[in-house]
Amino acid sequence: MPFYGFDDLLFSIFPIIFFIIFGFMVFSMIKSYVKNSQAPIITVESKIIGKRTNVSHHTHNDANNNISHSTSTTYYITFQTEHGERLELSLSGRMYGLLAEGDVGDLTYQGEWFKDFKRKNNSQSFNNNSYEENKDYREY
């Protein structure tokens, strides 16, 4: 025998909890966007030391009980800067395909956003000097 009033309590609390969680997710996304958009655009010499992908599989059901499947892929590249700092940035599949581990060039990024990577010729090697010794380091 169900408790009378429990169903009413459940249906009145569930929407409140749902909107609190939804609001927190939206707030987190906006906070992340603002943080990245206000970060300085930095260009630094770096080397690609790793590549990886994250494939997500999704299953969807419609009202007629038809099942559809989809996947999405997120592409990541790990860079090591001339100062020894490692950054893993997400980027487009097109740019991911153009870059290879071991490539050396000028990485431009803003916060956690990948902006560009300009590959250098093979004759230009990765400079492992410290920040004080390297005069080519630029920040916008």
Side-chain angles (χ1 to χ4, degrees):
M1 179 172 184
F3 295 105
Y4 291 106
F6 179 72
D7 291 338
D8 293 336
L9 180 65
L10 180 65
F11 285 112
S12 63
I13 291 178
F14 178 74
I16 294 170
I17 293 172
F18 174 79
F19 284 114
I20 288 171
I21 293 171
F22 182 75
F24 180 74
M25 290 172 49
V26 170
F27 175 77
S28 296
M29 290 170 50
I30 291 170
K31 182 180 171 186
S32 175
Y33 176 82
V34 169
K35 177 184 170 194
N36 286 322
S37 66
Q38 291 179 348
I41 297 174
I42 298 171
T43 299
V44 63
E45 184 180 6
S46 64
K47 180 177 184 178
I48 297 175
I49 59 170
K51 293 175 70 173
R52 73 178 182 94
T53 59
N54 182 23
V55 179
S56 299
H57 302 278
H58 310 281
T59 303
H60 309 279
N61 295 331
D62 65 9
N64 295 328
N65 221 12
N66 295 324
I67 299 173
S68 62
H69 301 276
S70 64
T71 60
S72 61
T73 305
T74 307
Y75 301 91
Y76 298 94
I77 292 190
T78 303
F79 298 91
Q80 182 168 342
T81 69
E82 60 192 330
H83 315 296
E85 179 184 11
R86 291 185 177 195
L87 301 166
E88 183 178 63
L89 302 172
S90 173
L91 65 163
S92 71
R94 181 178 179 277
M95 183 62 83
Y96 179 88
L98 294 174
L99 301 175
E101 282 190 43
D103 284 352
V104 175
D106 291 325
L107 167 66
T108 303
Y109 65 99
Q110 182 178 15
E112 297 175 347
W113 293 340
F114 172 85
K115 294 289 191 180
D116 193 21
F117 184 79
K118 293 190 180 356
R119 187 181 297 114
K120 293 186 175 183
N121 297 335
N122 289 339
S123 62
Q124 298 172 316
S125 63
F126 185 62
N127 186 357
N128 287 322
N129 294 339
S130 69
Y131 174 75
E132 291 78 22
E133 296 171 321
N134 190 340
K135 306 294 185 208
D136 295 330
Y137 178 76
R138 299 176 312 210
E139 277 191 38
Y140 289 85

mmCIF file of all heavy atoms in Angstrom, residues 5-39:
data_model
loop_
_atom_site.group_PDB
_atom_site.id
_atom_site.type_symbol
_atom_site.label_atom_id
_atom_site.label_comp_id
_atom_site.label_asym_id
_atom_site.label_seq_id
_atom_site.Cartn_x
_atom_site.Cartn_y
_atom_site.Cartn_z
ATOM 1 N N GLY A 5 0.346 10.812 -0.592
ATOM 2 C CA GLY A 5 1.093 12.059 -0.576
ATOM 3 C C GLY A 5 2.528 11.915 -1.049
ATOM 4 O O GLY A 5 3.139 12.892 -1.417
ATOM 5 N N PHE A 6 3.071 10.700 -1.040
ATOM 6 C CA PHE A 6 4.455 10.504 -1.486
ATOM 7 C C PHE A 6 4.582 10.811 -2.983
ATOM 8 O O PHE A 6 5.536 11.458 -3.393
ATOM 9 C CB PHE A 6 4.929 9.080 -1.198
ATOM 10 C CG PHE A 6 6.337 8.821 -1.647
ATOM 11 C CD1 PHE A 6 7.404 9.369 -0.968
ATOM 12 C CD2 PHE A 6 6.581 8.052 -2.781
ATOM 13 C CE1 PHE A 6 8.709 9.146 -1.392
ATOM 14 C CE2 PHE A 6 7.873 7.827 -3.210
ATOM 15 C CZ PHE A 6 8.944 8.376 -2.514
ATOM 16 N N ASP A 7 3.607 10.342 -3.789
ATOM 17 C CA ASP A 7 3.651 10.614 -5.226
ATOM 18 C C ASP A 7 3.566 12.111 -5.489
ATOM 19 O O ASP A 7 4.264 12.635 -6.358
ATOM 20 C CB ASP A 7 2.518 9.886 -5.947
ATOM 21 C CG ASP A 7 2.705 8.384 -5.943
ATOM 22 O OD1 ASP A 7 3.863 7.943 -5.772
ATOM 23 O OD2 ASP A 7 1.706 7.653 -6.108
ATOM 24 N N ASP A 8 2.719 12.811 -4.759
ATOM 25 C CA ASP A 8 2.606 14.261 -4.937
ATOM 26 C C ASP A 8 3.915 14.951 -4.570
ATOM 27 O O ASP A 8 4.355 15.866 -5.243
ATOM 28 C CB ASP A 8 1.463 14.818 -4.079
ATOM 29 C CG ASP A 8 0.101 14.341 -4.546
ATOM 30 O OD1 ASP A 8 -0.013 13.982 -5.739
ATOM 31 O OD2 ASP A 8 -0.829 14.308 -3.723
ATOM 32 N N LEU A 9 4.537 14.497 -3.492
ATOM 33 C CA LEU A 9 5.804 15.069 -3.068
ATOM 34 C C LEU A 9 6.887 14.815 -4.112
ATOM 35 O O LEU A 9 7.655 15.713 -4.460
ATOM 36 C CB LEU A 9 6.221 14.471 -1.721
ATOM 37 C CG LEU A 9 7.542 14.967 -1.135
ATOM 38 C CD1 LEU A 9 7.432 16.452 -0.793
ATOM 39 C CD2 LEU A 9 7.907 14.161 0.084
ATOM 40 N N LEU A 10 6.918 13.598 -4.652
ATOM 41 C CA LEU A 10 7.914 13.245 -5.668
ATOM 42 C C LEU A 10 7.754 14.106 -6.914
ATOM 43 O O LEU A 10 8.728 14.628 -7.446
ATOM 44 C CB LEU A 10 7.804 11.762 -6.025
ATOM 45 C CG LEU A 10 8.776 11.238 -7.067
ATOM 46 C CD1 LEU A 10 10.203 11.335 -6.515
ATOM 47 C CD2 LEU A 10 8.454 9.813 -7.433
ATOM 48 N N PHE A 11 6.523 14.283 -7.374
ATOM 49 C CA PHE A 11 6.297 15.065 -8.593
ATOM 50 C C PHE A 11 6.456 16.564 -8.368
ATOM 51 O O PHE A 11 6.617 17.313 -9.322
ATOM 52 C CB PHE A 11 4.920 14.752 -9.188
ATOM 53 C CG PHE A 11 4.892 13.415 -9.870
ATOM 54 C CD1 PHE A 11 4.149 12.364 -9.340
ATOM 55 C CD2 PHE A 11 5.617 13.188 -11.023
ATOM 56 C CE1 PHE A 11 4.129 11.122 -9.952
ATOM 57 C CE2 PHE A 11 5.608 11.954 -11.644
ATOM 58 C CZ PHE A 11 4.865 10.924 -11.112
ATOM 59 N N SER A 12 6.453 17.015 -7.151
ATOM 60 C CA SER A 12 6.694 18.435 -6.902
ATOM 61 C C SER A 12 8.182 18.711 -6.675
ATOM 62 O O SER A 12 8.663 19.792 -6.977
ATOM 63 C CB SER A 12 5.872 18.927 -5.716
ATOM 64 O OG SER A 12 6.266 18.256 -4.539
ATOM 65 N N ILE A 13 8.928 17.748 -6.156
ATOM 66 C CA ILE A 13 10.362 17.931 -5.917
ATOM 67 C C ILE A 13 11.188 17.667 -7.177
ATOM 68 O O ILE A 13 12.165 18.365 -7.435
ATOM 69 C CB ILE A 13 10.837 17.025 -4.757
ATOM 70 C CG1 ILE A 13 10.248 17.517 -3.455
ATOM 71 C CG2 ILE A 13 12.345 17.001 -4.666
ATOM 72 C CD1 ILE A 13 10.623 16.666 -2.270
ATOM 73 N N PHE A 14 10.788 16.687 -7.975
ATOM 74 C CA PHE A 14 11.572 16.324 -9.160
ATOM 75 C C PHE A 14 11.800 17.500 -10.103
ATOM 76 O O PHE A 14 12.942 17.732 -10.524
ATOM 77 C CB PHE A 14 10.919 15.160 -9.906
ATOM 78 C CG PHE A 14 11.651 14.780 -11.143
ATOM 79 C CD1 PHE A 14 12.856 14.096 -11.078
ATOM 80 C CD2 PHE A 14 11.177 15.149 -12.392
ATOM 81 C CE1 PHE A 14 13.552 13.758 -12.215
ATOM 82 C CE2 PHE A 14 11.863 14.825 -13.546
ATOM 83 C CZ PHE A 14 13.050 14.119 -13.454
ATOM 84 N N PRO A 15 10.759 18.289 -10.472
ATOM 85 C CA PRO A 15 11.030 19.424 -11.374
ATOM 86 C C PRO A 15 11.991 20.448 -10.765
ATOM 87 O O PRO A 15 12.816 21.019 -11.471
ATOM 88 C CB PRO A 15 9.652 20.043 -11.601
ATOM 89 C CG PRO A 15 8.686 18.980 -11.270
ATOM 90 C CD PRO A 15 9.329 18.126 -10.230
ATOM 91 N N ILE A 16 11.904 20.643 -9.468
ATOM 92 C CA ILE A 16 12.805 21.597 -8.816
ATOM 93 C C ILE A 16 14.243 21.104 -8.909
ATOM 94 O O ILE A 16 15.146 21.873 -9.274
ATOM 95 C CB ILE A 16 12.375 21.812 -7.342
ATOM 96 C CG1 ILE A 16 11.011 22.488 -7.288
ATOM 97 C CG2 ILE A 16 13.427 22.630 -6.592
ATOM 98 C CD1 ILE A 16 10.401 22.517 -5.909
ATOM 99 N N ILE A 17 14.469 19.839 -8.617
ATOM 100 C CA ILE A 17 15.818 19.268 -8.707
ATOM 101 C C ILE A 17 16.320 19.312 -10.146
ATOM 102 O O ILE A 17 17.467 19.657 -10.405
ATOM 103 C CB ILE A 17 15.838 17.828 -8.145
ATOM 104 C CG1 ILE A 17 15.576 17.861 -6.629
ATOM 105 C CG2 ILE A 17 17.161 17.141 -8.436
ATOM 106 C CD1 ILE A 17 15.377 16.499 -6.013
ATOM 107 N N PHE A 18 15.452 18.990 -11.095
ATOM 108 C CA PHE A 18 15.820 19.017 -12.511
ATOM 109 C C PHE A 18 16.284 20.418 -12.920
ATOM 110 O O PHE A 18 17.324 20.580 -13.557
ATOM 111 C CB PHE A 18 14.640 18.569 -13.375
ATOM 112 C CG PHE A 18 14.892 18.719 -14.843
ATOM 113 C CD1 PHE A 18 15.660 17.794 -15.520
ATOM 114 C CD2 PHE A 18 14.384 19.808 -15.533
ATOM 115 C CE1 PHE A 18 15.905 17.937 -16.879
ATOM 116 C CE2 PHE A 18 14.618 19.953 -16.887
ATOM 117 C CZ PHE A 18 15.379 19.024 -17.562
ATOM 118 N N PHE A 19 15.514 21.453 -12.557
ATOM 119 C CA PHE A 19 15.878 22.813 -12.957
ATOM 120 C C PHE A 19 17.128 23.308 -12.233
ATOM 121 O O PHE A 19 17.902 24.079 -12.793
ATOM 122 C CB PHE A 19 14.701 23.773 -12.753
ATOM 123 C CG PHE A 19 13.654 23.626 -13.822
ATOM 124 C CD1 PHE A 19 12.395 23.148 -13.505
ATOM 125 C CD2 PHE A 19 13.937 23.932 -15.139
ATOM 126 C CE1 PHE A 19 11.435 22.995 -14.489
ATOM 127 C CE2 PHE A 19 12.993 23.781 -16.133
ATOM 128 C CZ PHE A 19 11.734 23.308 -15.802
ATOM 129 N N ILE A 20 17.378 22.855 -11.023
ATOM 130 C CA ILE A 20 18.607 23.224 -10.325
ATOM 131 C C ILE A 20 19.817 22.620 -11.050
ATOM 132 O O ILE A 20 20.807 23.309 -11.302
ATOM 133 C CB ILE A 20 18.563 22.779 -8.848
ATOM 134 C CG1 ILE A 20 17.584 23.645 -8.068
ATOM 135 C CG2 ILE A 20 19.957 22.834 -8.215
ATOM 136 C CD1 ILE A 20 17.314 23.164 -6.658
ATOM 137 N N ILE A 21 19.733 21.348 -11.411
ATOM 138 C CA ILE A 21 20.834 20.694 -12.133
ATOM 139 C C ILE A 21 21.024 21.318 -13.508
ATOM 140 O O ILE A 21 22.145 21.613 -13.926
ATOM 141 C CB ILE A 21 20.588 19.178 -12.235
ATOM 142 C CG1 ILE A 21 20.675 18.546 -10.840
ATOM 143 C CG2 ILE A 21 21.587 18.509 -13.185
ATOM 144 C CD1 ILE A 21 20.252 17.096 -10.784
ATOM 145 N N PHE A 22 19.932 21.563 -14.223
ATOM 146 C CA PHE A 22 20.009 22.182 -15.550
ATOM 147 C C PHE A 22 20.626 23.582 -15.446
ATOM 148 O O PHE A 22 21.487 23.958 -16.242
ATOM 149 C CB PHE A 22 18.612 22.249 -16.180
ATOM 150 C CG PHE A 22 18.603 22.833 -17.553
ATOM 151 C CD1 PHE A 22 19.054 22.099 -18.639
ATOM 152 C CD2 PHE A 22 18.157 24.130 -17.761
ATOM 153 C CE1 PHE A 22 19.052 22.635 -19.914
ATOM 154 C CE2 PHE A 22 18.149 24.677 -19.030
ATOM 155 C CZ PHE A 22 18.600 23.927 -20.104
ATOM 156 N N GLY A 23 20.197 24.358 -14.451
ATOM 157 C CA GLY A 23 20.742 25.702 -14.250
ATOM 158 C C GLY A 23 22.224 25.668 -13.938
ATOM 159 O O GLY A 23 22.998 26.498 -14.426
ATOM 160 N N PHE A 24 22.649 24.697 -13.118
ATOM 161 C CA PHE A 24 24.064 24.561 -12.805
ATOM 162 C C PHE A 24 24.885 24.239 -14.055
ATOM 163 O O PHE A 24 25.977 24.780 -14.241
ATOM 164 C CB PHE A 24 24.269 23.476 -11.738
ATOM 165 C CG PHE A 24 25.703 23.266 -11.365
ATOM 166 C CD1 PHE A 24 26.372 24.185 -10.572
ATOM 167 C CD2 PHE A 24 26.398 22.165 -11.841
ATOM 168 C CE1 PHE A 24 27.700 24.008 -10.241
ATOM 169 C CE2 PHE A 24 27.726 21.973 -11.514
ATOM 170 C CZ PHE A 24 28.382 22.901 -10.708
ATOM 171 N N MET A 25 24.350 23.370 -14.921
ATOM 172 C CA MET A 25 25.059 23.016 -16.156
ATOM 173 C C MET A 25 25.195 24.234 -17.063
ATOM 174 O O MET A 25 26.270 24.476 -17.621
ATOM 175 C CB MET A 25 24.334 21.876 -16.875
ATOM 176 C CG MET A 25 24.439 20.554 -16.149
ATOM 177 S SD MET A 25 23.423 19.231 -16.825
ATOM 178 C CE MET A 25 23.783 19.281 -18.551
ATOM 179 N N VAL A 26 24.135 25.001 -17.222
ATOM 180 C CA VAL A 26 24.185 26.200 -18.063
ATOM 181 C C VAL A 26 25.160 27.214 -17.473
ATOM 182 O O VAL A 26 25.979 27.802 -18.191
ATOM 183 C CB VAL A 26 22.771 26.810 -18.234
ATOM 184 C CG1 VAL A 26 22.838 28.179 -18.889
ATOM 185 C CG2 VAL A 26 21.888 25.871 -19.038
ATOM 186 N N PHE A 27 25.105 27.408 -16.158
ATOM 187 C CA PHE A 27 26.023 28.329 -15.487
ATOM 188 C C PHE A 27 27.478 27.916 -15.701
ATOM 189 O O PHE A 27 28.341 28.753 -15.985
ATOM 190 C CB PHE A 27 25.697 28.394 -13.985
ATOM 191 C CG PHE A 27 26.666 29.218 -13.201
ATOM 192 C CD1 PHE A 27 26.622 30.604 -13.240
ATOM 193 C CD2 PHE A 27 27.641 28.611 -12.414
ATOM 194 C CE1 PHE A 27 27.526 31.373 -12.521
ATOM 195 C CE2 PHE A 27 28.539 29.359 -11.696
ATOM 196 C CZ PHE A 27 28.488 30.744 -11.744
ATOM 197 N N SER A 28 27.764 26.613 -15.594
ATOM 198 C CA SER A 28 29.134 26.114 -15.787
ATOM 199 C C SER A 28 29.618 26.354 -17.211
ATOM 200 O O SER A 28 30.777 26.729 -17.425
ATOM 201 C CB SER A 28 29.208 24.628 -15.464
ATOM 202 O OG SER A 28 28.925 24.402 -14.115
ATOM 203 N N MET A 29 28.735 26.148 -18.186
ATOM 204 C CA MET A 29 29.113 26.370 -19.582
ATOM 205 C C MET A 29 29.397 27.850 -19.834
ATOM 206 O O MET A 29 30.376 28.190 -20.513
ATOM 207 C CB MET A 29 28.016 25.860 -20.512
ATOM 208 C CG MET A 29 27.904 24.357 -20.534
ATOM 209 S SD MET A 29 26.465 23.702 -21.392
ATOM 210 C CE MET A 29 26.485 24.542 -22.928
ATOM 211 N N ILE A 30 28.566 28.723 -19.305
ATOM 212 C CA ILE A 30 28.770 30.161 -19.490
ATOM 213 C C ILE A 30 30.052 30.606 -18.791
ATOM 214 O O ILE A 30 30.841 31.384 -19.342
ATOM 215 C CB ILE A 30 27.549 30.955 -18.976
ATOM 216 C CG1 ILE A 30 26.347 30.697 -19.880
ATOM 217 C CG2 ILE A 30 27.853 32.446 -18.896
ATOM 218 C CD1 ILE A 30 25.041 31.237 -19.351
ATOM 219 N N LYS A 31 30.296 30.100 -17.589
ATOM 220 C CA LYS A 31 31.506 30.449 -16.846
ATOM 221 C C LYS A 31 32.763 30.036 -17.614
ATOM 222 O O LYS A 31 33.729 30.796 -17.705
ATOM 223 C CB LYS A 31 31.469 29.763 -15.478
ATOM 224 C CG LYS A 31 32.628 30.082 -14.591
ATOM 225 C CD LYS A 31 32.502 29.359 -13.251
ATOM 226 C CE LYS A 31 33.762 29.493 -12.441
ATOM 227 N NZ LYS A 31 33.707 28.695 -11.216
ATOM 228 N N SER A 32 32.752 28.834 -18.187
ATOM 229 C CA SER A 32 33.887 28.346 -18.970
ATOM 230 C C SER A 32 34.103 29.214 -20.211
ATOM 231 O O SER A 32 35.237 29.568 -20.553
ATOM 232 C CB SER A 32 33.660 26.896 -19.368
ATOM 233 O OG SER A 32 34.681 26.440 -20.207
ATOM 234 N N TYR A 33 33.012 29.567 -20.887
ATOM 235 C CA TYR A 33 33.109 30.410 -22.084
ATOM 236 C C TYR A 33 33.711 31.774 -21.740
ATOM 237 O O TYR A 33 34.610 32.267 -22.429
ATOM 238 C CB TYR A 33 31.737 30.578 -22.738
ATOM 239 C CG TYR A 33 31.780 31.505 -23.920
ATOM 240 C CD1 TYR A 33 32.184 31.039 -25.171
ATOM 241 C CD2 TYR A 33 31.461 32.847 -23.793
ATOM 242 C CE1 TYR A 33 32.250 31.888 -26.263
ATOM 243 C CE2 TYR A 33 31.529 33.709 -24.873
ATOM 244 C CZ TYR A 33 31.916 33.226 -26.099
ATOM 245 O OH TYR A 33 31.992 34.074 -27.172
ATOM 246 N N VAL A 34 33.212 32.401 -20.682
ATOM 247 C CA VAL A 34 33.707 33.720 -20.286
ATOM 248 C C VAL A 34 35.190 33.640 -19.915
ATOM 249 O O VAL A 34 35.984 34.495 -20.309
ATOM 250 C CB VAL A 34 32.864 34.293 -19.127
ATOM 251 C CG1 VAL A 34 33.510 35.530 -18.518
ATOM 252 C CG2 VAL A 34 31.457 34.618 -19.615
ATOM 253 N N LYS A 35 35.574 32.608 -19.164
ATOM 254 C CA LYS A 35 36.977 32.443 -18.758
ATOM 255 C C LYS A 35 37.887 32.338 -19.978
ATOM 256 O O LYS A 35 38.927 32.999 -20.052
ATOM 257 C CB LYS A 35 37.121 31.194 -17.888
ATOM 258 C CG LYS A 35 38.538 30.893 -17.461
ATOM 259 C CD LYS A 35 38.611 29.592 -16.697
ATOM 260 C CE LYS A 35 40.053 29.173 -16.495
ATOM 261 N NZ LYS A 35 40.178 27.805 -16.055
ATOM 262 N N ASN A 36 37.500 31.514 -20.959
ATOM 263 C CA ASN A 36 38.332 31.345 -22.152
ATOM 264 C C ASN A 36 38.339 32.592 -23.023
ATOM 265 O O ASN A 36 39.371 32.951 -23.586
ATOM 266 C CB ASN A 36 37.865 30.138 -22.962
ATOM 267 C CG ASN A 36 38.253 28.842 -22.316
ATOM 268 O OD1 ASN A 36 39.327 28.707 -21.761
ATOM 269 N ND2 ASN A 36 37.375 27.863 -22.371
ATOM 270 N N SER A 37 37.198 33.262 -23.159
ATOM 271 C CA SER A 37 37.143 34.438 -24.029
ATOM 272 C C SER A 37 37.920 35.616 -23.449
ATOM 273 O O SER A 37 38.380 36.477 -24.195
ATOM 274 C CB SER A 37 35.693 34.843 -24.302
ATOM 275 O OG SER A 37 35.066 35.276 -23.118
ATOM 276 N N GLN A 38 38.091 35.658 -22.128
ATOM 277 C CA GLN A 38 38.845 36.746 -21.507
ATOM 278 C C GLN A 38 40.329 36.427 -21.355
ATOM 279 O O GLN A 38 41.108 37.305 -20.989
ATOM 280 C CB GLN A 38 38.239 37.085 -20.147
ATOM 281 C CG GLN A 38 36.876 37.717 -20.248
ATOM 282 C CD GLN A 38 36.259 38.027 -18.899
ATOM 283 O OE1 GLN A 38 36.740 37.579 -17.866
ATOM 284 N NE2 GLN A 38 35.180 38.794 -18.913
ATOM 285 N N ALA A 39 40.729 35.193 -21.636
ATOM 286 C CA ALA A 39 42.139 34.815 -21.535
ATOM 287 C C ALA A 39 42.916 35.457 -22.681
ATOM 288 O O ALA A 39 42.376 35.690 -23.767
ATOM 289 C CB ALA A 39 42.280 33.295 -21.592
#
